[in-house]
Amino acid sequence: MMGLFDLVGTTTSGWLSDRFNCRYLLFCYYGLRGLSLLFLPQALVGPSVGLGIFAVFYGLDWIATVPPTVRLTAEVFGREKASIVFGWVAASHQVGAAFATFTAGQLRTSIGNYAPAFFGAGALCLIAALVVLPIARPRLAVPAAA
C-alpha cells in the first residue's frame, strides 16, 4: 500500500515542483513527514486502522521530496553542478539513514521499543522543514563597471 501511494505522491510532487516554490513544498513534505512519524507510535497501539492511515500518508510523502530537492539543487548550484551536488546529497542521506537505523536498533535493544526513534526522527523532520525555508536563491552576477 505504501508503494502504490508513493507512486502517486512522487508523481504529483514532480508536477507541483514545476509550478511552485520548492522550498515551500519541502517545508510541507518534511513537516508532514515529521508529524506522521510522531503519530506512528500511537498508530501501533489499538486498532490497525491507525497503521493503515500512516501507510497511506507516509507513502504519499515517502519519495515526494526528491523532485523539489533536485530542482532546488539546480536553482542554488546551477544546472551544470546540480547532478554532482545531488549525488552528494543522496550519498549523505544514505550515511544518515545508516546511522539512524543503527541508533533505532540500539534504542530498541536498550529501552525495549522504537517509540524514541520515531519521536527523534519526527523531530528531525520538523527541524528540516524549518531549515529548508531560508535556503537562498543565487544572486545574479552583476557585470563589473568598466
Side-chain angles (χ1 to χ4, degrees), residues 14 23 34 49 82 98 113 116 121 123 125 144:
R23 290 159 190 81
V49 172
N113 65 52
C125 286

Side-chain angles (χ1 to χ4, degrees), residues 68-143:
T69 301
V70 170
R71 186 171 180 111
L72 186 58
T73 302
E75 279 181 23
V76 173
F77 295 97
R79 295 178 65 90
E80 301 80 25
K81 297 178 186 173
S83 59
I84 191 71
V85 173
F86 186 75
W88 280 108
V89 168
S92 300
H93 178 19
Q94 295 306 311
V95 171
F99 176 75
T101 303
F102 177 78
T103 303
Q106 291 289 37
L107 286 169
R108 169 70 171 92
T109 299
S110 63
I111 295 173
N113 65 52
Y114 287 107
F118 293 136
F119 290 137
L124 288 173
C125 286
L126 295 175
I127 292 169
L130 296 174
V131 169
V132 76
L133 288 175
I135 294 175
R137 292 183 184 261
R139 294 183 184 182
L140 298 174
V142 178

Side-chain angles (χ1 to χ4, degrees), residues 33-69:
R33 182 180 296 174
L35 293 175
S36 71
L37 286 167
L38 294 173
F39 166 74
L40 183 56
Q42 288 77 28
L44 298 173
V45 178
S48 61
V49 172
L51 191 56
I53 292 169
F54 171 81
V56 168
F57 188 77
Y58 200 81
L60 286 171
D61 191 42
W62 193 7
I63 303 179
T65 57
V66 173
T69 301

